[in-house]
Amino acid sequence: MTITEVNELGNPVAPPKAVKRFLTVCGVIGRENFTILVDDIKLVPAAEKEIAWVKFKESFEFPEADEDRLKKAAFKKNGNLLEKYEVNAGG
């Protein structure tokens, strides 16, 4: 799937299918790659984040100029999901 437009925060905004898939892919990659014992994405080792980013890039094509912003947005989304899991798990 191709992301054709990214906003200033790095979130995909077009096409709509890519926006929805972005959220899904972030959730799946986060669950597969980050332990629930770490509730802050900033504490995840850089090597683990890089492995997750490689998997993310396998799911999307996007303009190279947007990669840094998109990567930051993806990890922010993963961090939000980790925090949400921690709250829902009663941690």
Side-chain angles (χ1 to χ4, degrees):
M1 175 158 296
T2 301
I3 296 171
T4 58
E5 187 178 346
V6 175
N7 69 15
E8 65 279 352
L9 298 176
N11 294 306
V13 292
K17 281 187 175 185
V19 174
K20 185 174 181 179
R21 184 163 167 88
F22 173 80
L23 298 172
T24 301
V25 168
C26 284
V28 170
I29 288 175
R31 284 190 303 275
E32 290 178 350
N33 292 279
F34 305 132
T35 176
I36 61 170
L37 299 176
V38 176
D39 63 352
D40 186 343
I41 194 71
K42 295 174 188 166
L43 301 176
V44 174
E48 288 181 32
K49 288 183 189 176
E50 196 55 39
I51 290 168
W53 181 244
V54 168
K55 290 180 181 180
F56 180 89
K57 291 193 319 183
E58 290 172 358
S59 298
F60 295 102
E61 293 180 10
F62 48 85
E64 188 175 328
D66 294 328
E67 182 167 356
D68 289 340
R69 287 183 294 142
L70 192 59
K71 185 175 184 179
K72 185 175 180 179
F75 286 127
K76 183 174 182 175
K77 177 55 68 181
N78 283 133
N80 292 343
L81 293 170
L82 285 171
E83 290 172 13
K84 184 183 271 187
Y85 178 82
E86 179 73 16
V87 168
N88 290 336

